[in-house]
Amino acid sequence: PAQPRPEFLPPLTLLAMDAAKPGQAVDLAHKKQVIEQTLASFNVPVEVVDINVGPTVTQFGVKPGTLARRGPGGDTVQRRVRVSRIRALANDLALALEASSIRIEAPVPGKGYVGIEVPNSRSDLVPLRMVLEAPEFGQIKSPLAVALGRDVAGQPVAADLAAMPHLLIAGATGSGKSVCIHNLVCSLLFNNGPDLLRLLLVDPKRVELPAYNGVPHLIAPVITDVDQVVGALTWLTLQMDERYRSFSQVGARNLKDYNRKIDRKNRPAEWRDLEPYPHIVFIIDELADLMLAAPDKVEHYICRLAQMARATGIHLVVATQRPS
């Protein structure tokens, strides 16, 4: 059973509920028929055995049929259709389904069929609350669990930022990088108090992240000035070095280990002045802008943090249009 939420965390009722789905059954039945008939017309008999409806694409599970072939002794033998023949007909299927493009996954991992992914005529919104309340999210026993959305089959997807250990979000303008960052920040805020998690946000665009100013988790107000970003990265690197010194003092390998040793009742006297450390998540929305302003310094610090900061509980989330 799900654990009750602590009193000090914001209630999930602040988030909007899942909207009801309009009927898709007629549309799905039509597409299923088109897939079977189109492939049969190219002498590739198949049967649609599974349909998974996702937010933007629907996956049709297609089981290859058999064709009668004449064997060496003159008798007929049933041979299964080769997967490569289904793959070769991707463009013909896209034409018949009136879709811009379709993706064929052959075979689908853990299933005995080929997956044909067809874009939906209209994309669904995926509410954050639906993922935060899902058992997939609750199974991640980490303070840095984040909601990512829904997969092709419509199942909620969550991840552990601590296991990643850093995250690069790339994509063209309008593909949803900033929405993804809001998603991550809200996931973290809904599940952690300021004693467990601190945030440092950088937004050169000045319009997306300043809404979070005033949240108690922020180490400093949202940074919009490029000159201050180098200062923030320098501070974060020094913080990482300081944490490693504290770790070596108590003989801890990572943040969890360190905090557990510091919280003990019978800790040694020389550890009295040591405090437990919170996780720090450093988020940059649009790195390309910073790289133009101060490339050498920004790159130097980000490389150091990406290589060494994981064990100290410092994690980077970087969004950019140019992942190179």
Side-chain angles (χ1 to χ4, degrees), residues 103-140:
R103 176 170 167 259
I104 294 184
E105 188 179 14
V108 177
K111 310 275 186 187
Y113 53 68
V114 176
I116 297 177
E117 292 171 14
V118 184
N120 294 343
S121 44
R122 41 179 279 273
S123 299
D124 290 337
L125 285 175
V126 179
L128 178 60
R129 179 171 172 181
M130 186 208 110
V131 185
L132 291 181
E133 290 178 338
E136 286 87 347
F137 189 85
Q139 282 165 8
I140 300 176

Side-chain angles (χ1 to χ4, degrees), residues 111 153 193 208 223 249 264 288 306:
K111 310 275 186 187
E208 290 287 350
I223 300 164
Q249 194 177 335
R264 283 201 323 230

Side-chain angles (χ1 to χ4, degrees), residues 269-282:
E270 62 268 22
W271 296 1
R272 290 276 181 246
D273 54 343
L274 293 176
E275 292 287 321
Y277 287 122
H279 289 274
I280 295 179
V281 179
F282 182 66

Side-chain angles (χ1 to χ4, degrees), residues 96-311:
L97 290 163
E98 300 171 16
S100 53
S101 67
I102 64 168
R103 176 170 167 259
I104 294 184
E105 188 179 14
V108 177
K111 310 275 186 187
Y113 53 68
V114 176
I116 297 177
E117 292 171 14
V118 184
N120 294 343
S121 44
R122 41 179 279 273
S123 299
D124 290 337
L125 285 175
V126 179
L128 178 60
R129 179 171 172 181
M130 186 208 110
V131 185
L132 291 181
E133 290 178 338
E136 286 87 347
F137 189 85
Q139 282 165 8
I140 300 176
K141 300 287 182 258
S142 163
L144 298 186
V146 291
L148 294 180
R150 298 214 318 249
D151 63 9
V152 176
Q155 298 303 314
V157 179
D160 179 9
L161 189 56
M164 281 185 176
H166 305 288
L167 184 59
L168 178 67
I169 306 167
T173 305
S175 58
K177 298 188 297 294
S178 296
V179 174
C180 182
I181 282 184
H182 284 301
N183 204 13
L184 297 177
V185 174
C186 289
S187 301
L188 295 171
L189 292 180
F190 268 96
N191 291 302
N192 295 288
D195 54 333
L196 276 182
L197 170 83
R198 304 309 295 272
L199 294 172
L200 201 51
L201 307 181
V202 175
D203 183 11
K205 292 190 286 194
R206 299 167 191 263
V207 290
E208 290 287 350
L209 299 177
Y212 295 106
N213 274 332
V215 172
H217 302 66
L218 288 186
I219 293 170
V222 176
I223 300 164
T224 53
D225 191 6
V226 175
D227 300 333
Q228 294 176 336
V229 175
V230 178
L233 282 164
T234 312
W235 176 85
L236 204 57
T237 312
L238 293 172
Q239 174 75 16
M240 175 184 80
D241 294 336
E242 185 197 317
R243 288 186 174 199
Y244 270 122
R245 276 194 294 276
S246 301
F247 287 8
S248 67
Q249 194 177 335
V250 303
R253 290 182 57 195
N254 54 35
L255 183 69
K256 192 176 176 184
D257 198 14
Y258 169 84
N259 283 347
R260 197 182 69 242
K261 290 186 172 187
I262 289 300
D263 279 344
R264 283 201 323 230
K265 294 276 191 296
N266 55 347
R267 58 182 181 172
E270 62 268 22
W271 296 1
R272 290 276 181 246
D273 54 343
L274 293 176
E275 292 287 321
Y277 287 122
H279 289 274
I280 295 179
V281 179
F282 182 66
I283 297 179
I284 301 178
D285 188 5
E286 203 44 79
L287 178 71
D289 195 45
L290 303 181
M291 294 303 275
L292 287 172
D296 42 351
K297 287 182 178 173
V298 170
E299 187 171 354
H300 168 73
Y301 287 125
I302 284 183
C303 282
R304 274 209 68 196
L305 288 165
Q307 287 166 346
M308 291 180 56
R310 178 196 64 84

